[in-house]
Structure formats: structure tokens, C-alpha cells
Amino acid sequence: MLFKPTYVFDKVGDVTPKFLKSKGIKALLLDLDNTLTTHNNPIPPQSSLDWLESMKRAGIRLMIVSNNDAERVTPFAEQLKLDFEPSAAKPLTFGYSRALKRLGLKKSEAAAIGDQIFTDILGSNLKGIRSIFVFPIEPETSLPFRFKRACERPFLPEIKKGGLDYECKIRTCGKQREL
């Protein structure tokens, strides 16, 4: 299913180099807003900085792929010393295609990570890249975002008595949820 993420984590910091390497993932294509920082915030939280540093130390290649324009992404990417693809037009696959080409990687060697089903997950699934959904850092308050989040709910795993939707395995408390 195009709207179903390959993997689900509570937050980006829960994705570990060990997990990525066990799946053969050499690079992450990163969403920006509400994945690495709060929406439209130019300053990343320390937790994101620490996580990015651990990924770099482990040899995981990183690139921001954002629907934001270069004016928004450039200062953030420069701060993090990351390359980026702005104006990615997710869920279209152009941004992911450009990022993979620039990284010199096959689709099977990368995963895309983000907080939105209808852009990040759909786009990476359309491209054939494994998708990692992380819950947003903080809830958006605008009506369009609240509507979009409500529409996403049917595509996320729910804990039910005696099991989970999608027959997924789950370890809670900030651990991996594999669908």
C-alpha cells in the first residue's frame, strides 16, 4: 500500500545506525519540518544535533529532501553541515531522484524519513525507497494540518487489545515499530 510506511518510530532519535545497517540502509533522505525541528523553526533541538552526529560517526550518509524552498532550507542545512534538495515537490519523486543521483546510491541503499504520510511516505513509496515514519515533534495547530493529520490516522498502526493493526511487530517506549 502506498500510504503504509515500511517502518515506524516514535521520533527520529529512535532510529539507530545499528537498525539501519541491519537493513542495508547506507543513507537517509531527511524531511525537515517536524522531523528534525519544529515547523518553520530555524534552530534544531539538541536531540536532533546529537542524533545527526551519531549517524555521521556511523557512516550513514544524510541529505535533507524538503518541500520548503532554498531560502528556508539553506540556513538550516548549513548549520547542520548537510547537503539538501529544496522544493522537492513531495509526494512527487523528483526530489528523491535528484538526491539519490547526487549521493550515487541505488534505491535499495536508502530510506526516506519524515512525519507526513501524504508527502514523505507516499513520495518515498512511489519512488521505491523504504519509508520511515516518525511522529511529529509537536502537533501543528492550523486547521489544514489538523485535517491532514486526521486523514493520516487510518494509515498508522494502532495498538489494540491482543495485537496490532497491519499485523505489525511493535516495541513501544520509543522503539521501532516495524510494519
Side-chain angles (χ1 to χ4, degrees), residues 13-162:
D14 293 334
V15 180
T16 65
K18 181 180 177 182
F19 169 79
L20 297 172
K21 288 181 178 187
S22 77
K23 301 296 183 187
I25 297 170
K26 298 178 180 180
L28 287 175
L29 308 178
L30 305 162
D31 179 50
L32 180 57
D33 286 330
N34 244 343
T35 300
L36 294 177
T37 191
T38 52
H39 197 74
N40 288 325
N41 185 350
I43 301 167
Q46 188 61 46
S47 58
S48 288
L49 295 172
D50 294 343
W51 178 78
L52 291 165
E53 188 56 37
S54 74
M55 290 292 154
K56 289 176 184 178
R57 278 193 314 269
I60 303 295
R61 298 177 67 192
L62 305 166
M63 182 181 285
I64 296 171
V65 178
S66 176
N67 282 348
N68 286 298
D69 61 22
E71 184 179 346
R72 160 76 173 117
V73 182
T74 300
F76 194 88
E78 287 175 349
Q79 222 179 133
L80 302 176
K81 297 178 178 69
L82 292 177
D83 207 355
F84 63 95
E85 275 297 327
S87 305
K90 295 179 285 184
L92 301 177
T93 62
F94 306 119
Y96 289 128
S97 296
R98 290 189 305 262
L100 288 172
K101 185 176 181 178
R102 290 174 62 193
L103 289 167
L105 294 173
K106 300 175 197 170
K107 293 185 286 189
S108 62
E109 298 173 308
I113 188 166
D115 69 297
Q116 293 188 52
I117 295 289
F118 300 127
T119 55
D120 307 310
I121 303 308
L122 177 58
S124 57
N125 287 344
L126 285 170
K127 182 63 185 169
I129 301 169
R130 286 174 279 181
S131 55
I132 301 173
F133 177 85
V134 293
F135 291 90
I137 293 173
E138 69 180 22
E140 297 92 348
T141 56
S142 71
L143 185 59
F145 265 111
R146 290 193 334 244
F147 176 74
K148 188 182 338 182
R149 295 296 183 193
C151 293
E152 289 177 338
R153 279 189 210 119
F155 303 104
L156 297 175
E158 292 182 30
I159 299 173
K160 290 187 172 182
K161 189 174 184 177

